Amino acid sequence: MPITLSVPWENELDDKRSELKKIIMDTRTLPTLPGVINKLNTLAEDARASVQEMAKIVSSDQVLSARILRLANSPSYGFYRVSTISNAMILLGVNVVKSLALSSSIFEIMEKNSVGLWEHSMGVGVAANMIARKLALPECEEIATAGLLHDIGKVIISLKCSDAEKRILSIVRNQEKYMIEAELEVIDTDHAEVGGWLAKSWFLPDKLSEPIAFHHDVTRSVNHRIKTAVVHIADVLVKASGFGDSGDSYVPPIQKAAWDMLKLNDELLADLVDELEDKLVEVRNFSIEMQG
Amino acid sequence: MQKIPLMLATAGMVLARDVFRNDSPTGMPICGKETVLTDALIARLDHLDVQSIYVDGHPLNQDGERKLEDLLRDLDHRFEKVRQDPLTSKLYDIYADYLKRSMGE
Protein backbone atom coordinates (compact mmCIF):
# COMPACT_ATOMS: atom_id res chain seq x y z
CA MET A 1 0.00 0.00 0.00
CA PRO A 2 1.57 3.31 -1.00
CA ILE A 3 2.19 5.73 1.77
CA THR A 4 0.69 9.09 1.09
CA LEU A 5 2.11 12.03 2.85
CA SER A 6 -0.47 14.55 3.76
CA VAL A 7 -1.00 17.25 6.29
CA PRO A 8 -4.51 17.76 7.63
CA TRP A 9 -5.21 21.00 5.85
CA GLU A 10 -4.17 19.45 2.57
CA ASN A 11 -6.87 16.88 3.00
CA GLU A 12 -9.22 19.69 3.68
CA LEU A 13 -8.42 21.20 0.31
CA ASP A 14 -9.83 18.09 -1.33
CA ASP A 15 -13.04 18.00 0.61
CA LYS A 16 -16.55 19.13 -0.10
CA ARG A 17 -15.91 22.56 1.26
CA SER A 18 -13.23 23.52 -1.21
CA GLU A 19 -15.26 21.97 -4.02
CA LEU A 20 -18.00 24.29 -3.01
CA LYS A 21 -15.67 27.20 -2.71
CA LYS A 22 -14.72 26.58 -6.32
CA ILE A 23 -18.34 26.43 -7.45
CA ILE A 24 -19.38 29.39 -5.38
CA MET A 25 -16.45 31.54 -6.36
CA ASP A 26 -16.56 30.70 -10.08
CA THR A 27 -15.89 34.21 -11.27
CA ARG A 28 -17.63 33.72 -14.58
CA THR A 29 -21.00 33.60 -12.88
CA LEU A 30 -20.29 35.63 -9.76
CA PRO A 31 -22.19 38.90 -9.57
CA THR A 32 -19.76 41.72 -10.12
CA LEU A 33 -19.71 45.10 -8.55
CA PRO A 34 -20.29 47.72 -11.21
CA GLY A 35 -16.99 49.20 -12.41
CA VAL A 36 -18.33 52.55 -11.27
CA ILE A 37 -17.84 51.58 -7.63
CA ASN A 38 -14.24 50.53 -8.07
CA LYS A 39 -13.46 53.71 -9.96
CA LEU A 40 -15.15 55.76 -7.25
CA ASN A 41 -13.13 54.01 -4.57
CA THR A 42 -9.88 54.75 -6.38
CA LEU A 43 -10.80 58.37 -6.94
CA ALA A 44 -11.99 58.85 -3.37
CA GLU A 45 -8.54 57.93 -2.14
CA ASP A 46 -6.93 60.48 -4.43
CA ALA A 47 -6.82 63.81 -2.62
CA ARG A 48 -6.53 65.67 -5.91
CA ALA A 49 -9.73 64.24 -7.35
CA SER A 50 -12.56 66.75 -7.62
CA VAL A 51 -16.22 66.16 -6.94
CA GLN A 52 -16.86 66.91 -10.63
CA GLU A 53 -14.58 64.08 -11.70
CA MET A 54 -16.39 61.65 -9.40
CA ALA A 55 -19.77 62.93 -10.52
CA LYS A 56 -18.73 62.27 -14.11
CA ILE A 57 -18.06 58.63 -13.26
CA VAL A 58 -21.41 58.19 -11.51
CA SER A 59 -23.18 59.92 -14.39
CA SER A 60 -21.81 57.34 -16.81
CA ASP A 61 -24.17 54.79 -15.24
CA GLN A 62 -27.71 55.84 -16.09
CA VAL A 63 -29.56 53.48 -13.80
CA LEU A 64 -27.32 54.36 -10.88
CA SER A 65 -27.66 58.09 -11.55
CA ALA A 66 -31.41 57.84 -11.67
CA ARG A 67 -31.46 55.93 -8.40
CA ILE A 68 -29.12 58.34 -6.64
CA LEU A 69 -31.10 61.36 -7.77
CA ARG A 70 -34.32 59.69 -6.67
CA LEU A 71 -32.86 58.95 -3.25
CA ALA A 72 -31.21 62.39 -2.92
CA ASN A 73 -34.60 63.94 -3.65
CA SER A 74 -36.51 61.64 -1.34
CA PRO A 75 -37.77 63.42 1.77
CA SER A 76 -35.85 61.11 4.09
CA TYR A 77 -32.70 62.98 3.10
CA GLY A 78 -34.36 66.33 3.61
CA PHE A 79 -32.90 67.94 0.46
CA TYR A 80 -35.18 68.95 -2.35
CA ARG A 81 -34.88 69.30 -6.09
CA VAL A 82 -31.35 68.04 -6.52
CA SER A 83 -31.01 67.71 -10.26
CA THR A 84 -27.34 66.97 -10.90
CA ILE A 85 -25.10 64.24 -9.60
CA SER A 86 -22.43 66.74 -8.62
CA ASN A 87 -24.97 68.65 -6.52
CA ALA A 88 -26.07 65.39 -4.97
CA MET A 89 -22.44 64.64 -4.13
CA ILE A 90 -21.85 68.06 -2.61
CA LEU A 91 -25.06 67.91 -0.57
CA LEU A 92 -24.91 64.29 0.52
CA GLY A 93 -21.15 63.92 0.69
CA VAL A 94 -19.01 61.58 -1.36
CA ASN A 95 -19.25 58.81 1.22
CA VAL A 96 -23.02 58.78 1.24
CA VAL A 97 -23.11 58.67 -2.56
CA LYS A 98 -20.62 55.81 -2.46
CA SER A 99 -22.79 53.87 0.01
CA LEU A 100 -25.87 54.66 -2.05
CA ALA A 101 -24.12 53.37 -5.15
CA LEU A 102 -23.07 50.23 -3.29
CA SER A 103 -26.44 49.58 -1.67
CA SER A 104 -28.22 50.16 -4.95
CA SER A 105 -26.04 47.54 -6.66
CA ILE A 106 -26.51 45.11 -3.78
CA PHE A 107 -30.22 45.66 -4.14
CA GLU A 108 -29.97 44.80 -7.84
CA ILE A 109 -28.34 41.49 -6.88
CA MET A 110 -30.73 40.76 -4.02
CA GLU A 111 -33.89 41.89 -5.75
CA LYS A 112 -34.18 38.69 -7.72
CA ASN A 113 -33.84 36.82 -4.47
CA SER A 114 -36.01 37.88 -1.65
CA VAL A 115 -37.45 41.03 -0.25
CA GLY A 116 -37.30 39.53 3.26
CA LEU A 117 -33.51 39.25 3.19
CA TRP A 118 -33.19 42.72 1.66
CA GLU A 119 -35.31 44.16 4.49
CA HIS A 120 -33.26 42.29 7.09
CA SER A 121 -30.05 43.63 5.54
CA MET A 122 -31.37 47.20 5.35
CA GLY A 123 -32.51 46.89 8.97
CA VAL A 124 -29.05 45.72 10.08
CA GLY A 125 -27.43 48.55 8.08
CA VAL A 126 -29.63 51.10 9.82
CA ALA A 127 -29.14 49.48 13.24
CA ALA A 128 -25.36 49.34 12.79
CA ASN A 129 -25.28 53.01 11.83
CA MET A 130 -27.43 53.89 14.85
CA ILE A 131 -25.25 51.93 17.29
CA ALA A 132 -22.06 53.43 15.82
CA ARG A 133 -23.42 56.96 16.21
CA LYS A 134 -24.69 56.31 19.71
CA LEU A 135 -21.24 55.06 20.75
CA ALA A 136 -19.58 57.94 18.87
CA LEU A 137 -17.47 55.55 16.81
CA PRO A 138 -15.52 56.73 13.78
CA GLU A 139 -16.51 55.67 10.25
CA CYS A 140 -20.25 55.23 10.87
CA GLU A 141 -20.94 55.09 7.13
CA GLU A 142 -18.57 52.18 6.67
CA ILE A 143 -20.11 50.35 9.62
CA ALA A 144 -23.56 50.88 8.09
CA THR A 145 -22.34 49.52 4.77
CA ALA A 146 -20.84 46.48 6.50
CA GLY A 147 -24.23 45.93 8.17
CA LEU A 148 -26.00 46.18 4.84
CA LEU A 149 -23.65 43.63 3.32
CA HIS A 150 -23.29 41.24 6.26
CA ASP A 151 -25.54 38.50 4.80
CA ILE A 152 -24.37 38.77 1.20
CA GLY A 153 -23.09 35.19 1.52
CA LYS A 154 -26.71 33.98 1.76
CA VAL A 155 -27.42 35.59 -1.60
CA ILE A 156 -24.44 33.82 -3.15
CA ILE A 157 -25.40 30.44 -1.66
CA SER A 158 -28.89 30.88 -3.02
CA LEU A 159 -27.61 31.92 -6.46
CA LYS A 160 -24.97 29.21 -6.75
CA CYS A 161 -26.33 26.24 -4.80
CA SER A 162 -30.09 26.54 -4.88
CA ASP A 163 -30.53 22.81 -4.09
CA ALA A 164 -28.32 23.08 -1.03
CA GLU A 165 -30.22 26.20 -0.02
CA LYS A 166 -33.50 24.27 -0.13
CA ARG A 167 -32.04 21.58 2.13
CA ILE A 168 -30.65 24.23 4.49
CA LEU A 169 -34.02 25.96 4.76
CA SER A 170 -35.80 22.67 5.35
CA ILE A 171 -33.39 21.80 8.19
CA VAL A 172 -33.93 25.25 9.69
CA ARG A 173 -37.70 24.74 9.56
CA ASN A 174 -37.98 21.11 10.56
CA GLN A 175 -35.11 20.56 12.98
CA GLU A 176 -35.32 23.93 14.74
CA LYS A 177 -31.72 24.82 14.07
CA TYR A 178 -29.92 28.05 13.39
CA MET A 179 -29.22 28.72 9.74
CA ILE A 180 -25.48 28.69 10.35
CA GLU A 181 -25.72 25.17 11.86
CA ALA A 182 -27.78 23.92 8.92
CA GLU A 183 -25.32 25.48 6.47
CA LEU A 184 -22.38 23.73 8.13
CA GLU A 185 -24.27 20.46 7.92
CA VAL A 186 -25.14 20.77 4.24
CA ILE A 187 -22.30 22.72 2.63
CA ASP A 188 -19.58 22.45 5.27
CA THR A 189 -19.21 26.22 5.40
CA ASP A 190 -21.54 29.09 6.24
CA HIS A 191 -22.87 32.32 4.76
CA ALA A 192 -20.45 34.44 6.80
CA GLU A 193 -17.42 32.66 5.35
CA VAL A 194 -18.89 32.69 1.84
CA GLY A 195 -19.58 36.42 2.23
CA GLY A 196 -15.97 36.88 3.29
CA TRP A 197 -14.77 35.09 0.14
CA LEU A 198 -16.99 37.29 -1.99
CA ALA A 199 -15.78 40.46 -0.25
CA LYS A 200 -12.22 39.40 -1.03
CA SER A 201 -13.03 38.74 -4.66
CA TRP A 202 -14.62 42.19 -4.86
CA PHE A 203 -11.47 43.65 -3.25
CA LEU A 204 -13.54 45.27 -0.51
CA PRO A 205 -11.42 46.68 2.32
CA ASP A 206 -10.88 44.73 5.58
CA LYS A 207 -13.20 47.06 7.43
CA LEU A 208 -16.03 45.63 5.32
CA SER A 209 -14.87 42.05 4.79
CA GLU A 210 -14.15 41.33 8.48
CA PRO A 211 -17.60 42.28 9.78
CA ILE A 212 -19.11 40.23 6.93
CA ALA A 213 -16.96 37.15 7.61
CA PHE A 214 -17.06 37.24 11.42
CA HIS A 215 -20.46 38.69 12.39
CA HIS A 216 -21.29 35.36 14.06
CA ASP A 217 -17.98 35.22 15.97
CA VAL A 218 -16.41 38.59 16.59
CA THR A 219 -13.38 37.09 18.35
CA ARG A 220 -12.07 35.89 14.97
CA SER A 221 -11.86 39.44 13.65
CA VAL A 222 -8.26 40.69 13.69
CA ASN A 223 -8.18 44.32 12.57
CA HIS A 224 -11.78 45.52 12.90
CA ARG A 225 -13.25 43.96 16.01
CA ILE A 226 -15.27 46.99 17.03
CA LYS A 227 -16.93 47.29 13.63
CA THR A 228 -17.55 43.52 13.62
CA ALA A 229 -19.05 43.72 17.12
CA VAL A 230 -21.40 46.51 16.03
CA VAL A 231 -22.64 44.44 13.07
CA HIS A 232 -23.07 41.40 15.35
CA ILE A 233 -25.22 43.35 17.82
CA ALA A 234 -27.16 45.01 14.98
CA ASP A 235 -27.93 41.57 13.52
CA VAL A 236 -29.17 40.24 16.88
CA LEU A 237 -31.32 43.35 17.44
CA VAL A 238 -33.01 43.14 14.04
CA LYS A 239 -33.65 39.41 14.50
CA ALA A 240 -35.05 40.12 17.97
CA SER A 241 -37.37 42.69 16.46
CA GLY A 242 -38.67 40.18 13.92
CA PHE A 243 -38.17 42.74 11.14
CA GLY A 244 -37.59 41.38 7.62
CA ASP A 245 -36.63 37.77 7.07
CA SER A 246 -33.05 36.63 7.50
CA GLY A 247 -34.04 32.98 7.06
CA ASP A 248 -33.44 32.31 10.76
CA SER A 249 -36.39 31.71 13.04
CA TYR A 250 -34.40 32.12 16.25
CA VAL A 251 -32.54 35.04 17.79
CA PRO A 252 -28.85 34.13 18.15
CA PRO A 253 -27.11 34.76 21.49
CA ILE A 254 -25.38 38.09 22.05
CA GLN A 255 -21.67 37.33 22.19
CA LYS A 256 -20.16 38.38 25.49
CA ALA A 257 -17.01 39.54 23.67
CA ALA A 258 -19.07 41.95 21.54
CA TRP A 259 -21.03 43.22 24.55
CA ASP A 260 -17.80 43.92 26.47
CA MET A 261 -15.99 45.45 23.53
CA LEU A 262 -18.76 47.99 22.95
CA LYS A 263 -19.19 48.51 26.73
CA LEU A 264 -22.95 47.98 26.44
CA ASN A 265 -25.26 48.07 29.43
CA ASP A 266 -28.96 47.46 30.10
CA GLU A 267 -29.94 51.10 29.81
CA LEU A 268 -28.08 51.59 26.54
CA LEU A 269 -29.65 48.44 25.12
CA ALA A 270 -33.15 49.65 26.01
CA ASP A 271 -32.44 53.02 24.33
CA LEU A 272 -31.16 51.24 21.24
CA VAL A 273 -34.32 49.11 21.00
CA ASP A 274 -36.60 52.16 21.28
CA GLU A 275 -34.66 54.08 18.67
CA LEU A 276 -34.38 51.11 16.33
CA GLU A 277 -38.11 50.38 16.37
CA ASP A 278 -38.72 54.00 15.42
CA LYS A 279 -36.26 53.77 12.54
CA LEU A 280 -37.54 50.45 11.21
CA VAL A 281 -40.81 52.13 10.20
CA GLU A 282 -38.76 54.34 7.87
CA VAL A 283 -36.83 51.32 6.60
CA ARG A 284 -40.07 49.66 5.60
CA ASN A 285 -41.10 52.82 3.71
CA PHE A 286 -37.72 52.93 2.03
CA SER A 287 -38.01 49.30 1.04
CA ILE A 288 -41.43 49.96 -0.50
CA GLU A 289 -39.92 52.95 -2.32
CA MET A 290 -37.02 50.88 -3.71
CA GLN A 291 -39.38 48.15 -4.91
CA GLY A 292 -41.77 50.66 -6.46
CA MET B 1 -49.28 55.72 20.55
CA GLN B 2 -48.11 54.32 17.23
CA LYS B 3 -45.83 55.69 14.54
CA ILE B 4 -47.36 55.01 11.14
CA PRO B 5 -46.44 55.85 7.55
CA LEU B 6 -48.60 58.72 6.32
CA MET B 7 -49.80 56.60 3.40
CA LEU B 8 -51.59 54.33 5.88
CA ALA B 9 -53.24 57.18 7.81
CA THR B 10 -57.03 57.44 7.60
CA ALA B 11 -59.54 60.11 8.55
CA GLY B 12 -60.58 59.92 12.19
CA MET B 13 -57.14 59.03 13.61
CA VAL B 14 -55.87 61.42 16.28
CA LEU B 15 -52.35 62.88 16.25
CA ALA B 16 -50.37 61.88 19.33
CA ARG B 17 -47.43 64.19 18.62
CA ASP B 18 -46.94 67.49 16.79
CA VAL B 19 -46.11 67.06 13.12
CA PHE B 20 -43.08 68.90 11.78
CA ARG B 21 -41.92 69.55 8.27
CA ASN B 22 -39.42 67.01 7.14
CA ASP B 23 -36.80 69.57 6.27
CA SER B 24 -37.04 71.38 9.62
CA PRO B 25 -37.72 68.82 12.35
CA THR B 26 -37.00 71.42 15.04
CA GLY B 27 -38.95 74.31 13.52
CA MET B 28 -42.58 75.22 13.99
CA PRO B 29 -45.01 72.32 14.00
CA ILE B 30 -47.36 72.32 11.02
CA CYS B 31 -50.07 70.43 12.85
CA GLY B 32 -50.60 70.12 16.59
CA LYS B 33 -51.14 66.97 18.59
CA GLU B 34 -54.69 65.90 19.43
CA THR B 35 -55.80 67.04 15.96
CA VAL B 36 -58.32 64.65 14.39
CA LEU B 37 -57.17 63.73 10.90
CA THR B 38 -59.38 64.39 7.88
CA ASP B 39 -58.83 63.37 4.27
CA ALA B 40 -58.04 66.99 3.37
CA LEU B 41 -55.49 67.25 6.18
CA ILE B 42 -53.80 63.97 5.17
CA ALA B 43 -53.56 65.22 1.57
CA ARG B 44 -52.04 68.45 2.84
CA LEU B 45 -49.44 66.64 4.98
CA ASP B 46 -48.65 64.46 1.98
CA HIS B 47 -48.18 67.60 -0.11
CA LEU B 48 -45.67 68.83 2.48
CA ASP B 49 -43.76 65.54 2.11
CA VAL B 50 -44.49 64.33 5.63
CA GLN B 51 -43.52 60.64 5.73
CA SER B 52 -44.82 59.37 9.03
CA ILE B 53 -46.92 60.54 11.95
CA TYR B 54 -47.64 59.46 15.53
CA VAL B 55 -51.26 58.66 16.28
CA ASP B 56 -53.17 57.73 19.43
CA GLY B 57 -53.79 54.11 20.31
CA HIS B 58 -52.60 51.34 18.06
CA PRO B 59 -54.88 51.60 15.03
CA LEU B 60 -52.65 49.70 12.60
CA ASN B 61 -51.70 46.11 12.92
CA GLN B 62 -48.82 46.07 10.53
CA ASP B 63 -48.35 42.36 10.89
CA GLY B 64 -51.92 41.63 9.95
CA GLU B 65 -54.57 41.39 12.63
CA ARG B 66 -52.36 40.66 15.56
CA LYS B 67 -52.86 41.33 19.20
CA LEU B 68 -50.35 41.81 21.99
CA GLU B 69 -50.65 38.14 23.07
CA ASP B 70 -49.78 37.02 19.54
CA LEU B 71 -46.82 39.38 19.36
CA LEU B 72 -45.57 38.15 22.74
CA ARG B 73 -45.98 34.53 21.63
CA ASP B 74 -43.89 35.26 18.51
CA LEU B 75 -41.30 36.97 20.69
CA ASP B 76 -41.16 33.90 22.95
CA HIS B 77 -40.68 31.71 19.91
CA ARG B 78 -37.87 33.86 18.48
CA PHE B 79 -36.06 33.85 21.84
CA GLU B 80 -36.65 30.15 22.53
CA LYS B 81 -32.99 29.18 22.29
CA VAL B 82 -31.55 32.10 24.25
CA ARG B 83 -33.88 32.59 27.21
CA GLN B 84 -31.24 31.12 29.54
CA ASP B 85 -28.45 33.27 28.09
CA PRO B 86 -27.75 36.05 30.58
CA LEU B 87 -27.15 38.84 28.02
CA THR B 88 -29.71 37.87 25.41
CA SER B 89 -32.44 37.36 28.02
CA LYS B 90 -32.00 41.04 28.94
CA LEU B 91 -32.86 41.84 25.33
CA TYR B 92 -35.95 39.62 25.64
CA ASP B 93 -37.14 41.57 28.68
CA ILE B 94 -36.56 44.89 26.91
CA TYR B 95 -38.55 43.74 23.86
CA ALA B 96 -41.39 42.30 25.93
CA ASP B 97 -41.58 45.61 27.77
CA TYR B 98 -41.42 47.55 24.50
CA LEU B 99 -44.30 45.56 22.99
CA LYS B 100 -46.45 46.02 26.07
CA ARG B 101 -45.79 49.77 26.10
CA SER B 102 -46.36 50.30 22.39
CA MET B 103 -49.53 48.20 22.25
CA GLY B 104 -50.92 49.28 25.58
CA GLU B 105 -50.81 53.03 25.31
Side-chain angles (χ1 to χ4, degrees):
Chain A
M1 194 180 177
I3 299 166
T4 49
L5 282 174
S6 67
V7 276
W9 47 266
E10 246 179 17
N11 277 338
E12 214 175 290
L13 283 180
D14 294 331
D15 69 13
K16 193 162 71 170
R17 186 162 152 274
S18 42
E19 273 293 320
L20 258 150
K21 183 171 178 180
K22 247 183 260 161
I23 297 170
I24 288 174
M25 301 318 287
D26 176 6
T27 43
R28 283 166 305 175
T29 50
L30 202 64
T32 49
L33 274 189
V36 177
I37 293 188
N38 289 328
K39 285 189 209 149
L40 265 185
N41 277 334
T42 324
L43 263 190
E45 280 161 23
D46 182 353
R48 288 168 302 172
S50 69
V51 166
Q52 271 71 25
E53 276 176 88
M54 290 190 221
K56 215 169 139 192
I57 289 173
V58 174
S59 311
S60 67
D61 185 326
Q62 285 183 42
V63 178
L64 190 59
S65 303
R67 212 156 229 168
I68 284 177
L69 286 177
R70 196 164 130 211
L71 290 173
N73 281 294
S74 98
S76 27
Y77 277 94
F79 299 115
Y80 294 93
R81 285 170 274 287
V82 182
S83 56
T84 66
I85 295 290
S86 59
N87 277 347
M89 288 191 105
I90 291 164
L91 283 171
L92 300 174
V94 175
N95 274 339
V96 173
V97 170
K98 253 170 59 190
S99 325
L100 284 181
L102 191 59
S103 50
S104 141
S105 2
I106 301 305
F107 181 74
E108 288 290 308
I109 298 169
M110 277 196 182
E111 199 169 30
K112 299 149 201 148
N113 255 266
S114 82
V115 173
L117 184 60
W118 163 248
E119 285 190 339
H120 169 72
S121 304
M122 280 294 298
V124 173
V126 165
N129 193 354
M130 180 192 88
I131 297 169
R133 283 179 201 284
K134 192 117 191 149
L135 301 177
L137 298 177
E139 304 189 291
C140 295
E141 283 299 330
E142 274 84 356
I143 298 177
T145 307
L148 181 75
L149 293 175
H150 78 289
D151 268 352
I152 192 75
K154 286 182 186 167
V155 180
I156 302 303
I157 293 172
S158 153
L159 284 175
K160 294 300 189 77
C161 326
S162 52
D163 288 342
E165 190 206 19
K166 281 191 198 99
R167 264 183 294 150
I168 291 167
L169 292 177
S170 115
I171 293 176
V172 169
R173 261 195 308 272
N174 303 327
Q175 300 178 23
E176 304 184 347
K177 285 192 174 163
Y178 284 117
M179 195 137 176
I180 199 158
E181 294 170 329
E183 286 167 344
L184 275 175
E185 215 170 282
V186 177
I187 56 174
D188 206 19
T189 174
D190 61 62
H191 66 270
E193 188 174 31
V194 172
W197 295 338
L198 181 72
K200 286 259 152 62
S201 86
W202 279 353
F203 301 105
L204 297 183
D206 276 4
K207 55 187 163 192
L208 296 181
S209 68
E210 285 200 9
I212 294 171
F214 307 126
H215 67 273
H216 285 285
D217 183 3
V218 303
T219 59
R220 288 169 60 204
S221 169
V222 183
N223 300 315
H224 296 283
R225 274 201 183 182
I226 299 263
K227 290 187 176 68
T228 307
V230 172
V231 172
H232 167 77
I233 299 288
D235 184 36
V236 177
L237 285 183
V238 173
K239 281 174 177 158
S241 155
F243 183 84
D245 182 9
S246 66
D248 255 322
S249 326
Y250 300 103
V251 177
I254 294 175
Q255 261 200 313
K256 176 122 187 1
W259 177 275
D260 291 343
M261 219 173 303
L262 300 180
K263 303 189 179 71
L264 293 179
N265 57 50
D266 299 18
E267 202 184 324
L268 202 52
L269 190 63
D271 285 353
L272 287 172
V273 166
D274 266 1
E275 208 175 307
L276 177 64
E277 285 299 315
D278 226 40
K279 289 224 160 85
L280 288 178
V281 177
E282 311 277 343
V283 179
R284 184 153 283 143
N285 288 346
F286 180 86
S287 169
I288 295 168
E289 200 177 311
M290 286 289 268
Q291 290 163 52
Chain B
M1 183 176 71
Q2 185 184 18
K3 183 182 185 182
I4 62 168
L6 187 70
M7 60 175 113
L8 297 178
T10 51
M13 289 179 178
V14 181
L15 289 179
R17 282 194 198 173
D18 292 346
V19 177
F20 295 89
R21 281 189 71 122
N22 244 311
D23 50 355
S24 63
T26 50
M28 274 238 296
I30 47 179
C31 195
K33 63 178 176 188
E34 291 168 25
T35 306
V36 181
L37 292 180
T38 60
D39 287 333
L41 186 56
I42 294 169
R44 197 164 160 67
L45 292 177
D46 187 43
H47 191 65
L48 290 168
D49 273 331
V50 169
Q51 291 281 292
S52 48
I53 53 173
Y54 292 86
V55 293
D56 278 347
H58 198 89
L60 281 192
N61 277 316
Q62 286 179 331
D63 307 308
E65 282 302 307
R66 296 227 311 231
K67 305 217 164 18
L68 178 61
E69 307 89 83
D70 298 330
L71 293 175
L72 286 174
R73 199 176 324 117
D74 282 356
L75 186 73
D76 282 352
H77 177 67
R78 288 201 293 276
F79 275 80
E80 215 172 274
K81 288 178 183 280
V82 286
R83 286 297 291 281
Q84 304 306 320
D85 179 77
L87 290 176
T88 323
S89 62
K90 288 177 200 270
L91 185 60
Y92 171 86
D93 293 339
I94 288 170
Y95 257 105
D97 182 55
Y98 171 83
L99 286 176
K100 284 176 201 153
R101 266 189 296 133
S102 70
M103 298 292 283
E105 274 174 26

